Structures are given as C-alpha cells and as structure tokens.
Amino acid sequence: MARRENPEINAGSMADIAFLLLIFFLVTTTMDVDSGISKKLAEKIPPNVKPPKIKDKNLFEVNINRNNELFVENEVMDIKDLKDAALKFIDNGGGIGSPKEGESKGTPCDYCNGDKDPSSSDHPNKAVISVQSDRATEYGTYIAVQNQLLQAYAELRNKLSQKRYNMSFTELEEAFKDSGRKDESLRKKVQDIKDSYPLIITDLDPEGTK
C-alpha cells in the first residue's frame, strides 16, 4: 500500500497577512498620551540677587491643602468660583503699572474693566498670582485650579483682542501660526495682547511632610 504524504501548508501568504494585520493595528490603535499643562517653570533666583518686593495688594494667594480644599486670600472658595475671582483681581486696574520698555514711568490701565479698587491690584502687569499646594494634594485638584486661572487670562485676552483687532486672541494666535510665524503685523498684535495681560502665575514649593 502506497504511503500517503501530508500536503505542505504554504506559510508565505499567512506571513503576509500577519504583517498586514500588524500594520493595520499600529495605524488604527489609539495610544494613551500623557496630558498636562504647558508651562515654563521659573528659574531659581541666584543667592546674590534679591527678589523684587511685591505689594500685598498686587499678590493673589491661592492655597490648596492636603484635603484638596481651596483657600483664596485665606478664605475658603469653591474651585468653580476661582476664575471669576482671579479675573476680578487681574483686571482691577486700581493704580499705576510697571513702566514698559523705553518708558520712564508706568501709566494707569486704560483698558481694564475692573472696579479700580485701591486695595486690589494696580495693573495687570503687576498682578501676581501665587499658587501653593500641599505634598498630599491630588494632582487632579491642582490641574483644576491651574485651568481656572488660565481661563481667566484667556477670557481677558480674548475680550481685549476682539476690541482692538476684531478677532479673539485664540483666532489671532491661530492666524499667526498659519502664517508660519512670519507675519510681523500679526506678531506685534499677539505680543501686544500678551503684554497687556501678562500671564504671571508663580508656583511655590509644596508644603507638607517630605
């Protein structure tokens, strides 16, 4: 009786299919990307340099304790109310601002829409927001606080840009990016809004047990 041989399986086509499937899954699979806040940390001040003195009224203190409770100017506050409080502080315009480059003295804020409260910030370029958290503060709470503060600046910049250039600051930045960052007219407008409402948020070292 003749011996019956088992037919061989052509593995070449299967390898091609596996390779195509691998490419398909690599192209279509969504990878988890770490998210966070785009922020440039301040450089450490040299020991021989004295930090500038800041008047109490130009400092907006935000503290987050280990229980994720928010204290603004030593008073308890809900995170949802932080943006409006920060906006009111930044846009107060109650005094004279720091002199700009080439100027000998500062001027009042003629574009601020705040209460002009003499006990609050003098000018947006003097308004400093200080954020301090505890080492046990949850990351999500810290991010939520930072988002509220950034939204306050974004709202003020958008309003001023709309008034001066008939487009929001977001649209202005997009137009500048679309130009390849080469349009000098757009560059000056973007810088003008940034200078009018400079983002001044400082992060102090977290408190708590190391």
Side-chain angles (χ1 to χ4, degrees):
M1 185 175 180
R3 183 178 178 183
R4 188 175 181 180
E5 295 183 359
N6 293 328
E8 294 183 359
I9 299 175
N10 185 359
S13 60
M14 294 182 65
D16 292 339
I17 294 172
F19 182 68
L20 291 172
L21 287 173
L22 178 62
I23 294 176
F24 173 78
F25 285 117
L26 286 174
V27 171
T28 59
T29 301
T30 302
M31 302 292 184
D32 289 335
V33 179
D34 291 337
S35 59
I37 297 175
S38 177
K39 192 173 181 181
K40 183 178 180 181
L41 297 177
E43 296 181 1
K44 188 175 182 180
I45 300 176
N48 59 332
V49 176
K50 292 183 179 181
K53 293 183 179 180
I54 302 174
K55 294 181 180 178
D56 289 340
K57 68 175 184 175
N58 287 322
L59 185 63
F60 187 75
E61 294 183 312
V62 178
N63 293 278
I64 317 168
N65 67 14
R66 62 190 304 105
N67 298 317
N68 298 300
E69 295 172 322
L70 181 66
F71 292 83
V72 178
E73 298 292 279
N74 297 319
E75 294 185 4
V76 180
M77 179 179 290
D78 290 333
I79 292 180
K80 63 180 178 62
D81 298 324
L82 178 59
K83 185 194 79 171
D84 290 338
L87 194 152
K88 184 177 180 180
F89 166 76
I90 299 165
D91 204 35
N92 180 63
I96 305 298
S98 298
K100 297 180 182 179
E101 187 176 351
E103 296 181 351
S104 59
K105 60 180 181 179
T107 57
C109 180
D110 58 1
Y111 53 85
C112 289
N113 297 306
D115 298 332
K116 303 291 190 293
D117 183 353
S119 65
S120 187
S121 70
D122 290 323
H123 194 281
N125 66 16
K126 282 186 175 181
V128 178
I129 297 179
S130 169
V131 179
Q132 184 166 24
S133 58
D134 190 274
R135 294 184 184 277
T137 300
E138 292 181 0
Y139 184 66
T141 303
Y142 174 81
I143 293 295
V145 167
Q146 291 285 345
N147 281 338
Q148 288 287 309
L149 297 175
L150 293 176
Q151 285 176 26
Y153 278 102
E155 183 172 322
L156 290 170
R157 287 178 171 183
N158 281 332
K159 284 182 178 179
L160 184 61
S161 180
Q162 189 70 49
K163 181 179 179 181
R164 290 182 178 177
Y165 307 118
N166 295 317
M167 65 171 68
S168 69
F169 183 67
T170 303
E171 294 170 332
L172 186 61
E173 280 194 311
E174 284 298 322
F176 180 52
K177 290 178 183 177
D178 291 342
S179 73
R181 300 181 182 275
K182 296 179 180 179
D183 191 314
E184 285 302 316
S185 175
L186 291 175
R187 183 193 299 275
K188 290 179 180 179
K189 291 177 180 178
V190 168
Q191 194 59 49
D192 173 47
I193 300 301
K194 285 184 176 181
D195 290 343
S196 297
Y197 286 111
L199 198 157
I200 312 175
I201 301 177
T202 66
D203 287 83
L204 301 179
D205 290 335
E207 292 182 337
T209 305
K210 294 185 179 180

